[in-house]
Each structure stands twice: as C-alpha cells, then as structure tokens.
Amino acid sequence: MSDRMNAMFHHVDAFIALPSGLGTLEEIFHISSWAQLHIHYKLIGLLNVNDFHGNLFYFLDQDVEQEFLTSSARQIIISAATTEQLTDQLQSFIPILDPSMSRIN
C-alpha cells in the first residue's frame, strides 16, 4: 500500500470515490477486497453521477449471477447519484458479514 493510502486508511471512517479513472478504481477495489476479508469495516461509496459507473455495477451484478462474487461481497460498494443520497446510504448502511471470509492478520 502506498504511503498516501496507508495514511488515509488510518484516518477515515469511509472511502468515497468520484467518477474517475483506473487509479481510483484500483484503490477502491483494493480497499473493497480488504473489507471482504474483514481486515476493516470502513464504508465504501462511489458517487455515480449521470450513471458514470453504471456498467461497472452491471459487471459486478453479473459476477454475482455467475457466482464469481458473493452477494455479501457485492454489497460492500455502495453507490448513489447524488452526494446527499450517498451520505444517507452510508449513514444507514449495515454490512452483511460473509462467514466464509475470515480476518487475515
């Protein structure tokens, strides 16, 4: 993990990404995989302005249907079209823990 990512990880309650490129998506998926492994329980949200990430969520939903991704892993990334909606969803989010994944030290 980069020094910037390490510093950010220890000082935030949630990760929120705006529409952007591969670097941001790589970091979101990296931190999402840690959530899936129960290394952390921080919230992860994508601001989906004008359905920018629509195809990404379609891909993730297809992964669930094809059983490459569990539904509990899919729900790790929260999305909304506006900052207000995303804030509301993050504040009311209750994670579904997958008992098949364990915390890795």
Side-chain angles (χ1 to χ4, degrees):
M1 178 186 322
S2 70
D3 290 339
R4 178 176 59 98
M5 185 79 163
N6 189 37
M8 183 173 50
F9 180 81
H10 293 291
H11 293 95
V12 301
D13 295 324
F15 297 93
I16 297 174
L18 305 175
S20 56
L22 291 176
T24 300
L25 289 176
E26 184 273 331
E27 290 184 357
I28 287 296
F29 281 120
H30 183 130
I31 211 71
S32 298
S33 67
W34 282 13
Q36 181 183 8
L37 295 171
H38 303 180
I39 294 172
H40 73 84
Y41 299 98
K42 297 175 188 233
L43 304 172
I44 302 166
L46 285 181
L47 189 58
N48 196 19
V49 176
N50 295 326
D51 201 34
F52 182 86
H53 295 293
N55 288 330
L56 173 64
F57 293 116
Y58 176 78
F59 167 78
L60 293 173
D61 292 339
Q62 290 298 306
D63 274 5
V64 172
E65 284 185 29
Q66 300 289 324
E67 299 181 355
F68 289 109
L69 185 66
T70 65
S71 58
S72 62
R74 166 61 184 92
Q75 61 88 36
I76 288 171
I77 301 175
I78 301 165
S79 72
T82 69
T83 55
E84 293 83 10
Q85 291 170 339
L86 187 57
T87 300
D88 290 344
Q89 287 185 28
L90 289 170
Q91 288 176 338
S92 64
F93 180 73
I94 299 171
I96 300 168
L97 299 179
D98 186 345
S100 67
M101 303 304 289
S102 62
R103 189 178 196 299
I104 297 176
N105 293 326

